[in-house]
């Protein structure tokens, strides 16, 4: 048993990050050197109810308690101590969406997640009003669409927040958001590090014209930067997190962030000219900008780092879900013949064989659209596999097709940044797509025609990134920037593998994307007729 870590745990020289992902709620505890020392997770799934992708609130709390209890059990097993405190903690979650509450704190309508593509009219009208791209996922788009739909709950809204903001509010009593997460609710002015005042004024005027009594300032969370005081764990919050009652209140809490911000921290890509790609259920790429883009692009979201720097974000709703479905089919096939292969080996072998396929996938094509994909103009999705009659239908081509399809919509958006001459010194990959060494990494390098790094720590992901933000809150030196803290205290000795793009892979991916774009009407027809 590591006595130094045992002492660090008992003295609260740790930091805890918890993140609500699309399929897992995960808790990661880090020690004084920022390395993970314990973890716990809980699986959950969104539901499609009355045409809305949602998670029930009881699942939020049950999942949070389960993930935390497993973390506490991990601490007990490894170090022989009961977890009663941590140095700091923070919550993060999948960004965007819509959680609207009345004056009594009651949820007015079921949680509407980022996955919904039901706000196209609002998105278009707000983009025109602001001269700024407002994606369908953003909270303001959901609010505007609810108003356009004449939904009865709107006049009763007293507070509007995201999932991370909701959990933080219930555990601290503070209605706040980290700036990166807030930038997925309403546009941020990176000069003031607050909601854009001109756009707020425009929208408040619109609300007043329609007869609503509330203003955006009244219903939106307060915006905080990384390292700023976001409150502390209340006795009620401690009981919500730890059902055993062992966890003590009073723990400092970091501003709640979105999974985009925690992904930036987990990959040390919060400085200008750095970027990261998170690939799991959804896929998004973030590039920290040196200068504004020349015009508004509907495919590009403008958000911020946890310290307020402007970030170009390409977000796609679909990534690995279709791959997972096909891998499940192969598992069934193996079981038919009495073959029991571990899930890890099955994914690894299938990912590896993909690299033996033709660079352009040999005449095969797929659309991994479980839901709509705004980047390519689809409001709904139908997973679709296509092939030419003379295509080379091999296992390697089949798997490569699905792996490249998982990045195809992302490439559509990133090609725009390339045209804008946005410089990327380093792109970092993280998430399940990159777990098999050298495969997802090589395909992303081909898609963006730039080097891609995957760090040893990449598998820790967002919850670790949130733990780093919590550690920064309590451990930073006066005036120490987040960029410097990460570079000098977290990643100074971290190694990773860098892959340069291969010219034949780049040309093959470009040819694949050309066919992908050309056949998009087939995906649209599938939505309309199937």
């Amino acid at each position: 048993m590591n006595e130094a870590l045992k002492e660090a745990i008992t003295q609260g020289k740790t930091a805890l990050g918890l993140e609500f992902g699309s399929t897992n709620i995960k808790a990661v505890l880090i020690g004084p050197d920022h390395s993970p020392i314990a973890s716990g997770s809980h699986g959950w799934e969104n539901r499609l109810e009355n045409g809305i992708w949602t998670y029930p609130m009881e699942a939020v709390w049950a999942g949070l308690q389960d993930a935390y209890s497993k973390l506490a059990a991990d601490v007990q097993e490894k170090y022989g101590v009961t977890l009663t405190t941590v140095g700091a903690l923070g919550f993060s979650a999948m960004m965007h969406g819509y959680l609207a509450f009345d004056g009594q704190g009651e949820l007015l309508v079921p949680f509407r997640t980022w996955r919904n593509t039901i706000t196209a009219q609002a998105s278009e009208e707000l983009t025109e009003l602001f001269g700024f791209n407002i994606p369908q996922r953003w909270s303001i788009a959901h609010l505007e669409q609810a108003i356009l739909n004449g939904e009865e709950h709107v006049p009763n809204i007293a507070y509007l927040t995201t999932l991370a903001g909701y959990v933080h509010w219930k555990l601290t009593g503070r209605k706040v958001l980290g700036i990166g997460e807030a930038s997925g609710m309403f546009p941020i002015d990176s000069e003031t590090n607050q909601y854009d005042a001109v756009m707020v004024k425009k929208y408040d005027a619109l609300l007043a014209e329609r007869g609503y009594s509330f203003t955006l300032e009244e219903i939106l969370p307060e915006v905080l930067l990384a390292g700023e005081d976001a409150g502390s764990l209340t006795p009620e919050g401690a009981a919500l997190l730890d059902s055993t009652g062992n966890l003590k209140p009073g723990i400092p809490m970091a501003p709640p962030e979105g999974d985009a911000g925690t992904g930036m921290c987990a990959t040390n890509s919060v400085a200008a000219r750095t970027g990261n790609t998170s690939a799991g259920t959804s896929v998004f790429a973030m590039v920290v900008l040196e200068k504004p883009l020349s015009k508004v692009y509907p495919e590009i979201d403008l958000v911020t780092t946890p310290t307020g720097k402007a970030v170009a974000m390409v977000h796609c709703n679909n990534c690995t879900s279709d791959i997972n479905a096909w891998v499940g089919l192969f598992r069934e096939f193996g079981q038919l013949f009495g073959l029991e292969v571990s899930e890890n080996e099955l994914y690894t072998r299938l990912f590896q064989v993909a690299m033996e396929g033709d660079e352009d996938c040999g005449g095969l094509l797929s659309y991994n659209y479980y839901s709509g994909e705004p980047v390519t103009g689809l409001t709904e999705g139908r997973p679709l596999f296509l092939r030419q009659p003379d295509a080379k239908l091999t296992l390697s081509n089949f798997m490569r097709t699905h792996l490249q399809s998982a990045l195809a919509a992302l490439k559509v958006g990133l090609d725009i940044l390339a045209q804008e001459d946005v410089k990327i010194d380093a792109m970092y990959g993280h998430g399940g797509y990159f777990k098999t060494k050298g495969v997802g990494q090589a395909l992303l390098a081909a898609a963006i025609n730039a080097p891609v790094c995957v760090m040893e720590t990449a598998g820790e992901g967002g919850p670790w990134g949130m733990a780093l933000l919590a550690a920064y809150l309590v451990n930073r030196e006066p005036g120490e920037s987040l960029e410097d803290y990460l570079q000098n205290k977290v990643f100074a000795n971290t190694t990773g593998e860098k892959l340069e793009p291969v010219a034949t892979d780049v040309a093959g991916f470009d040819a694949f994307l050309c066919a992908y774009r050309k056949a998009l009407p087939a995906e649209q027809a599938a939505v309309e007729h199937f």
Side-chain angles (χ1 to χ4, degrees):
M1 186 182 297
N2 188 315
E3 290 297 326
L5 285 179
K6 181 178 177 179
E7 184 179 348
I9 292 166
T10 55
Q11 294 185 0
K13 294 179 179 179
T14 56
L16 174 60
L18 301 104
E19 183 161 287
F20 291 79
S22 299
T23 58
N24 278 289
I25 302 169
K26 189 171 182 182
V28 171
L29 186 69
I30 62 174
D33 69 348
H34 304 96
S35 297
I37 59 175
S39 65
S41 66
H42 171 86
W44 72 336
E45 290 288 346
N46 55 189
R47 305 176 185 174
L48 187 62
E49 295 180 355
N50 300 315
I52 302 290
W53 289 105
T54 187
Y55 297 87
M57 290 299 99
E58 55 268 24
V60 170
W61 297 112
L64 177 61
Q65 289 185 355
D66 187 46
Y68 179 83
S69 70
K70 287 174 179 172
L71 171 103
D74 196 30
V75 169
Q76 183 71 52
E77 182 181 341
K78 288 178 177 174
Y79 309 104
V81 294
T82 299
L83 189 60
T84 61
T85 190
V86 296
L89 68 94
F91 290 93
S92 59
M94 39 196 160
M95 290 178 74
H96 320 297
Y98 185 77
L99 278 161
F101 299 88
D102 65 16
Q104 286 69 52
E106 296 297 321
L107 188 65
L108 291 167
V109 289
F111 173 34
R112 298 171 184 179
T113 79
W114 59 270
R115 197 171 191 177
N116 289 289
T117 49
I118 55 175
T119 62
Q121 182 185 357
S123 174
E124 289 174 16
E125 292 182 6
L126 290 175
T127 296
E128 185 175 348
L129 176 69
F130 296 145
F132 185 100
N133 182 38
I134 302 295
Q136 289 201 47
R137 306 180 312 282
W138 282 24
S139 306
I140 189 63
H142 280 280
L143 173 62
E144 175 65 10
Q145 194 65 52
I147 291 171
L148 293 174
N149 294 347
E151 296 189 38
E152 293 180 0
H153 76 274
V154 175
N156 300 318
I157 295 175
Y159 184 45
L160 189 63
T161 190
T162 64
L163 182 55
Y166 165 67
V167 173
H168 184 93
W169 168 38
K170 291 301 180 184
L171 270 66
T172 64
R174 294 280 302 275
K175 295 179 177 179
V176 301
L177 275 186
I179 192 168
E181 175 77 334
S183 70
M185 290 196 78
F186 193 87
I188 291 288
D189 180 346
S190 284
E191 295 295 318
T192 64
N193 289 328
Q194 295 296 324
Y195 300 116
D196 188 289
V198 174
M199 297 183 201
V200 167
K201 190 174 181 181
K202 283 184 178 181
Y203 197 72
D204 280 347
L206 201 57
L207 289 172
E209 282 175 25
R210 293 159 163 173
Y212 292 104
S213 59
F214 60 80
T215 65
L216 286 180
E217 184 180 10
E218 291 168 345
I219 68 169
L220 289 179
E222 178 187 353
V223 179
L224 298 177
L225 300 181
E228 292 187 336
D229 174 27
S232 60
L233 186 67
T234 63
E236 297 81 8
L240 272 175
L241 182 54
D242 180 11
S243 58
T244 67
N246 291 323
L247 188 66
K248 297 174 183 175
I251 298 168
M253 290 185 57
E257 266 298 347
D259 51 1
T262 59
M264 282 187 265
C265 292
T267 53
N268 194 24
S269 49
V270 295
R273 294 172 68 114
T274 63
N276 79 92
T277 297
S278 172
T281 304
S282 63
V283 60
F284 56 81
M286 320 278 295
V287 180
V288 186
L289 298 175
E290 294 180 285
K291 60 184 181 183
L293 301 181
S294 66
K295 63 178 183 177
V296 175
Y297 294 97
E299 300 90 349
I300 309 292
D301 308 349
L302 292 175
V303 291
T304 78
T305 69
T307 56
K309 284 187 170 63
V311 174
M313 178 183 190
V314 181
H315 184 287
C316 304
N317 287 346
N318 305 280
C319 186
T320 59
S321 294
D322 204 30
I323 295 170
N324 296 341
W326 285 107
V327 171
L329 186 71
F330 289 128
R331 182 184 297 110
E332 277 193 56
F333 175 79
Q335 288 169 344
L336 191 65
F337 291 90
L339 300 174
E340 287 298 335
V341 182
S342 72
E343 185 173 282
N344 185 58
E345 185 178 3
L346 188 59
Y347 273 94
T348 300
R349 292 286 188 91
L350 289 171
F351 271 54
Q352 287 172 339
V353 79
M355 300 310 291
E356 299 171 15
D358 296 319
E359 290 86 349
D360 64 355
C361 300
L364 311 184
L365 196 59
S366 80
Y367 295 93
N368 61 338
Y369 295 2
Y370 270 55
S371 60
E373 195 55 84
V375 169
T376 51
L378 274 291
T379 56
E380 291 182 52
R382 301 289 186 275
L384 182 65
F385 176 70
L386 302 167
R387 61 190 175 103
Q388 296 282 0
D390 59 349
K392 290 181 270 185
L393 183 57
T394 62
L395 181 61
S396 58
N397 277 345
F398 182 83
M399 285 307 302
R400 187 163 184 139
T401 297
H402 288 291
L403 291 179
Q404 294 197 171
S405 171
L407 298 178
L410 183 76
K411 179 170 168 57
V412 169
L414 289 174
D415 281 352
I416 294 170
L417 295 184
Q419 291 161 17
E420 280 271 346
D421 198 29
V422 172
K423 296 288 190 292
I424 306 174
D425 291 338
M427 178 67 83
Y428 296 92
H430 60 109
Y433 182 85
F434 299 103
K435 191 173 181 180
T436 300
K437 186 176 180 180
V439 178
Q441 189 178 3
L443 294 178
L444 179 61
I448 64 175
N449 194 19
V452 173
C453 302
V454 174
M455 294 180 179
E456 291 173 348
T457 52
E460 306 299 342
W464 182 59
M466 191 65 239
L468 296 179
L469 286 169
Y472 174 68
L473 172 72
V474 292
N475 295 331
R476 72 192 188 286
E477 304 292 334
E480 185 176 27
S481 70
L482 178 63
E483 292 88 337
D484 287 343
Y485 185 87
L486 292 175
Q487 182 61 43
N488 300 327
K489 294 181 176 175
V490 180
F491 292 97
N493 300 311
T494 300
T495 58
E497 189 160 329
K498 183 177 181 180
L499 273 186
E500 298 286 341
V502 176
T504 52
D505 286 343
V506 173
F509 208 122
D510 284 343
F512 175 81
L513 192 71
C514 183
Y516 182 93
R517 286 177 179 270
K518 191 174 180 181
L520 272 168
E523 170 65 14
Q524 180 63 54
V527 170
E528 292 170 2
H529 301 291
F530 182 62

